[in-house]
Amino acid sequence: MALLEVEAVHAYYGNIHALKGVSLTVDEGEIVTLIGANGAGKSTTLKTISGLLRPRQGHVRLANEDLSAYKPHQIVAKGIVQVPEGRRVFGRLTVMENLEMGAFTRTDGKEIRQAAESVFALFPRLKERQHQVAGTLSGGEQQMLAIGRALMARPRVLLLDEPSMGLAPALVDSIFDTIKQLHATGTTILLVEQNARMALQVADRGYVLQTGEVILSATAENLRSNEMVRKAYLGLT
């Protein structure tokens, strides 16, 4: 049984039919990636899973529990936690305060402190800057903080929306190394990433979205060798 299941989901922005029967699964411990052009529906899929956008048809399930009745903060409490596109840290709060915001569903102070130490072990730079105002961090540091903030909520499924966006190549490598580390610890990840080449290097499986529909799904290895994917998304011939 899949840990996360999206079944025949149709979602709209007003009259715009953004998702047209999208179905996908993510098994426990997997990294699954969604690839596609801008406007294909990748971020919309994550927003629908998170409850920020309600599907008009279809279902989103976590461990076979239908999430349609839950509000976004309740879905976080259930274990689906999103790192949003553009990072969206709380710019006027310190690094530590941002991490504490990520733990809003938790009540045990000792566990929260232990979770923060785990984040600092993953991102030593954040520990050095824990009292620094988040808005003064570099883009790469803010991305680390956004991921760390999500980890504070103890995600069963971590949704990553364009984690490499706007980052220098060296920082992109660092962020994907972090994704590999999280995978190694058993974290289940659904990854949306414009850099399809990097995404397919870390993912187990992938789905290709085009104008709100899944047009292809396969193992990452098979997608890397697929002629259409190579031409359209990997820049290869």
Side-chain angles (χ1 to χ4, degrees), residues 2 4-8 22-26 32 34 45 49 190 205 207 209 214:
L4 175 67
E5 181 182 12
V6 177
E7 180 187 8
V22 168
S23 295
L24 62 89
T25 60
V26 184
V32 172
L34 304 182
T45 300
I49 293 169
L190 179 57
R205 295 187 295 113
Y207 294 82
L209 284 176
V214 174

Side-chain angles (χ1 to χ4, degrees), residues 173-206:
D173 290 341
S174 176
I175 290 299
F176 274 91
D177 284 344
T178 298
I179 293 171
K180 291 177 185 177
Q181 289 180 56
L182 292 172
H183 186 215
T185 64
T187 304
T188 303
I189 298 172
L190 179 57
L191 169 66
V192 162
E193 178 53 60
Q194 196 67 35
N195 189 333
R197 186 177 304 178
M198 294 291 287
L200 291 173
Q201 286 176 4
V202 300
D204 299 298
R205 295 187 295 113

